[in-house]
Amino acid sequence: MKAGVGIAADEKEVPKDQPIDITEAEPEEVAPLQPEKPEKITSAVIIPDNILKDEYFKRGKTVKKIAKDYNVGVYGLYKRIEKMKQQKKATAKECASSKR
């Protein structure tokens, strides 16, 4: 044997004329796949912003009425309407400051 090459102390040396027993390793247990969750549909998919603006600002419907008509949650609509109000306010400020 060459220096640095050898057999570990716990390994047996197998004679060349003796067949080597190769057994298949047992497959590892794998957790079953989790069922995919259905994609969450938001109110923005059901009611696009332009329709929501039209319903709320032009037609004067309440958020509760819009939510009931389109069968969506009220909370999400309130958040979207609040953002629209902030954008409307910011746009009004920009327009007013540019007229000076």
Side-chain angles (χ1 to χ4, degrees):
M1 289 201 166
K2 296 181 181 177
V5 178
I7 299 173
D10 60 336
E11 292 181 25
K12 295 180 190 175
E13 190 170 324
V14 180
K16 291 181 182 180
D17 59 339
Q18 184 179 4
I20 300 173
D21 183 27
I22 301 176
T23 58
E24 291 186 24
E26 292 181 29
E28 295 180 23
E29 286 189 37
V30 179
L33 292 175
Q34 297 295 323
E36 289 187 29
K37 293 181 182 178
E39 190 173 318
K40 192 173 186 178
I41 299 175
T42 63
S43 66
V45 173
I46 298 170
I47 311 172
D49 283 349
N50 59 345
I51 294 174
L52 183 58
K53 284 179 186 177
D54 185 51
E55 295 280 345
Y56 185 79
F57 293 108
K58 291 183 180 176
R59 295 189 179 152
K61 287 187 178 180
T62 64
V63 175
K64 287 183 180 181
K65 176 70 174 146
I66 297 168
K68 185 178 179 183
D69 290 348
Y70 288 92
N71 196 25
V72 294
V74 178
Y75 180 73
L77 291 183
Y78 275 118
K79 286 176 30 177
R80 290 175 59 202
I81 292 288
E82 196 59 39
K83 284 183 183 179
M84 289 178 190
K85 286 180 180 179
Q86 289 173 355
Q87 288 174 345
K88 197 172 182 180
K89 196 175 190 180
T91 304
K93 275 186 180 182
E94 288 176 13
C95 290
S97 65
S98 64
K99 290 182 181 180
R100 290 185 183 183

